[in-house]
Amino acid sequence: MKQPNSTPTTDLMLRETASQTAGPYVHIGLALSIAGLPPRQEEIWNRMATPEADGQPIEVVGSVIDGNGDLVRDTFIEAWQADAHGEYQCDFDLEKPFNSFGRSATTVESGGEWSLITVKPGIINAANGKPMAPHINLAVFARGINMQLNTRMYFEDEAEANAACPILNAVESESRRRTLIARREESEDGKVRYRFDIRLRGEGETVFFDF
Amino acid sequence: MPLNKGKRFVERDRSWHPVAYTPGYKTAVARSPSQPLVSLQSPSISEVSGPDFQHLRMGSHDNDLLLNYREGKGQDGLPVGERIIMFGRVTDQFGKPVPHTLVEMWQANAGGRYRHKKDQYLAPLDPNFGGVGRCLTDEDGWYRFRTIKPGPYPWPNGINTWRPSHIHVSVMGPSVSTRLITQMYFEGDPLIPICPIVRTLNDPEAVQTMVGRLDMAHSRPMDCLAYRFDIVTRGELQTYFENV
């Protein structure tokens, strides 16, 4: 092991428990159906909104692509978003029509795609009181990812709000900002879907945040 | 509850945690960003809030891996291996307990085999062991599981690379900012210092935060040993003097 290179400890503050990769079998613990395990009484999964939830129902789908351009088929994803009114529903309860928290995963069987069934989030204000464009916070975990990568998914059809979003504008590079915008797709039956591919490394690399 | 409006969390020390690009752990090479992270100077409610799972309905054996798989299969045997209690306290960096937070864990069986369709290791599955647990911390931040000590297993990294015995641990904490997935290793395991995943950490002191300690005082005579694993999540601050 190399020399310690983290900042010195003060005895006034404990050190955070160190992170480790979620590994290849994360599904056993956090996505039981993917691992082939029987479900428990209640599972936390990708249906964040039922048809009764307020707001516009949407599906969010995407792939995760590594630095070689190959699909990452063992990603585990967590989503955190406001409801249609711009409120976080923190009290997770599967009997409610909407939960702000959801989980998904990419697998070989799903063609390497993750998906969320949700509603389009409303507008929330940033810490300085300025409105942020509608967005979904995503955390990406997988084998080979030592600590989760935090990103945000924005919506292509919210161009005006996106242009004014203080968080998007914290990304200096305009071309990198575009990596955070999901594409809108409408299916024949009128369902709205947003596609958000996450590129972990290299060309078109998705912006990841520290906060 | 965890809307945490007006809260902030102590900055993550990203050289204490493993950095993204750690070529000794081969998979990290193609899965690590090459661009720097973009720091949000003033995190918003999107970052300081998080889910509260007190209304998630759990089964009575969700934290007892000795019983929770045979139940699902209608079998009546116990799993093979070292019976242990794994327990500890979740606190923040200021030592404040983190109550009612979701702690999840998963692991291989006594022979190092995972009950996952992708695991092809020749060590057999245990018909009475699933390998998944979850619970909420209590009022004072304590959690506990009962399980079998997992075995080490080989994996394709180097030609002869083995994981130390470990239990994957996932903790939410009060917000998505405190979200943490780690692994608990077992005190004294000689595989710990040679593991490429452990070695993604640069600081030996940081490795110590992931080691569960044998705790004879909390073991059960003639029944099971105990390992204590305390978890520290980011310190929670109030915001003062913003927007003036």
Side-chain angles (χ1 to χ4, degrees):
Chain A
M1 242 168 264
K2 288 177 248 161
Q3 285 300 305
N5 69 352
S6 50
T7 53
T9 326
T10 77
D11 52 10
L12 297 175
M13 198 167 75
L14 302 168
R15 302 306 300 254
E16 189 183 8
T17 301
S19 175
Q20 292 275 264
T21 177
Y25 306 122
V26 55
H27 316 104
I28 291 178
L30 307 181
L32 279 67
S33 61
I34 304 289
L37 287 172
R40 293 165 293 192
Q41 191 172 359
E42 284 191 359
E43 294 292 344
I44 306 164
W45 197 232
N46 70 339
R47 184 175 288 277
M48 298 167 75
T50 69
E52 287 73 47
D54 287 352
Q56 182 195 354
I58 61 168
E59 190 188 4
V60 177
V61 298
S63 317
V64 180
I65 298 143
D66 73 11
N68 301 320
D70 293 324
L71 287 175
V72 178
R73 293 190 179 88
D74 51 12
T75 317
F76 172 72
I77 287 195
E78 288 185 344
W80 179 243
Q81 66 159 91
D83 66 14
H85 309 290
E87 303 282 338
Y88 279 99
Q89 295 295 329
C90 298
D91 179 18
F92 186 92
D93 188 338
L94 289 175
E95 286 182 4
K96 295 197 311 191
F98 177 80
N99 280 295
S100 281
F101 187 73
R103 288 173 164 176
S104 189
T106 66
T107 64
V108 176
E109 294 75 17
S110 70
E113 290 204 337
W114 55 275
S115 70
L116 298 167
I117 296 148
T118 184
V119 293
K120 200 169 178 189
I123 287 175
I124 317 149
N125 288 339
N128 64 3
K130 296 220 173 80
M132 299 185 283
H135 63 277
I136 301 178
N137 280 32
L138 296 171
V140 183
F141 301 84
R143 174 171 70 101
I145 297 178
N146 292 322
M147 183 167 220
Q148 76 264 36
L149 297 167
N150 294 305
T151 188
R152 278 185 174 205
M153 184 197 113
Y154 286 86
F155 298 83
E156 175 179 62
D157 49 3
E158 297 284 346
E160 204 178 316
N162 290 343
C165 177
I167 304 294
L168 264 179
N169 286 314
V171 181
E172 224 176 306
S173 154
E174 199 188 330
S175 65
R176 298 213 66 218
R177 251 176 260 161
R178 286 199 286 270
T179 68
L180 300 176
I181 316 284
R183 289 202 318 272
R184 188 177 199 273
E185 298 172 349
E186 207 163 321
S187 65
E188 286 151 21
D189 53 356
K191 286 195 178 139
V192 178
R193 195 159 83 154
Y194 291 89
R195 174 167 295 278
F196 187 65
D197 292 336
I198 297 168
R199 289 182 170 75
L200 298 175
R201 184 181 184 86
E203 203 185 327
E205 185 178 305
T206 302
V207 170
F208 298 107
F209 293 102
D210 188 16
F211 49 72
Chain B
M1 214 270 284
L3 199 55
N4 298 325
K5 212 165 182 170
K7 294 262 167 73
R8 294 197 68 150
F9 294 92
V10 172
E11 182 188 5
R12 263 194 169 135
D13 182 345
R14 289 184 177 269
S15 52
W16 171 260
H17 290 289
V19 296
Y21 181 79
T22 49
Y25 174 24
K26 293 181 179 179
T27 317
V29 171
R31 296 185 174 192
S32 50
S34 59
Q35 297 282 331
L37 302 177
V38 173
S39 295
L40 300 184
Q41 302 301 333
S42 295
S44 71
I45 191 85
S46 292
E47 285 79 40
V48 301
S49 60
D52 176 333
F53 291 105
Q54 290 183 77
H55 290 118
L56 179 71
R57 288 154 196 84
M58 298 203 210
S60 52
H61 292 144
D62 276 8
N63 70 339
D64 186 351
L65 285 73
L66 299 190
L67 299 180
N68 71 14
Y69 192 72
R70 69 172 190 179
E71 271 198 342
K73 305 290 280 187
Q75 291 162 338
D76 59 1
L78 288 167
V80 172
E82 294 180 39
R83 295 162 60 89
I84 60 168
I85 291 168
M86 167 199 183
F87 79 106
R89 196 174 199 196
V90 185
T91 63
D92 80 1
Q93 287 178 276
F94 300 115
K96 198 178 99 184
V98 181
H100 313 303
T101 203
L102 183 64
V103 180
E104 295 161 282
M105 55 83 101
W106 67 99
Q107 62 167 100
N109 68 23
R113 174 78 184 269
Y114 281 96
R115 189 171 286 281
H116 191 296
K117 48 192 177 188
K118 270 173 51 189
D119 190 356
Q120 301 294 317
Y121 181 34
L122 54 77
L125 286 170
D126 182 329
N128 297 312
F129 192 73
V132 54
R134 64 179 177 186
C135 68
L136 290 180
T137 57
D138 70 12
E139 202 67 42
D140 299 312
W142 293 95
Y143 74 90
R144 65 191 58 78
F145 295 101
R146 188 166 71 151
T147 188
I148 291 292
K149 187 179 172 190
Y153 60 85
W155 56 295
N157 188 67
I159 286 165
N160 187 21
T161 312
W162 293 70
R163 295 303 326 277
S165 294
H166 64 277
I167 296 178
H168 296 266
V169 182
S170 156
V171 59
M172 181 53 70
S175 78
V176 294
S177 292
T178 54
R179 180 82 181 96
L180 180 75
I181 290 184
T182 186
Q183 300 181 26
M184 181 191 98
Y185 302 99
F186 290 83
E187 181 177 10
D189 186 340
L191 288 169
I192 295 172
I194 59 172
C195 171
I197 290 180
V198 174
R199 291 169 72 110
T200 61
L201 277 74
N202 284 315
D203 190 330
E205 277 186 49
V207 173
Q208 291 308 305
T209 66
M210 305 187 299
V211 178
R213 310 280 161 190
L214 178 66
D215 185 336
M216 290 307 291
H218 289 90
S219 69
R220 299 199 166 227
M222 307 303 286
D223 181 349
C224 63
L225 286 170
Y227 283 85
R228 177 163 176 177
F229 182 58
D230 289 341
I231 299 165
V232 178
T233 62
R234 291 169 71 182
E236 190 178 293
L237 304 156
Q238 301 288 337
T239 49
Y240 301 112
F241 312 125
E242 281 210 351
N243 300 327
V244 284

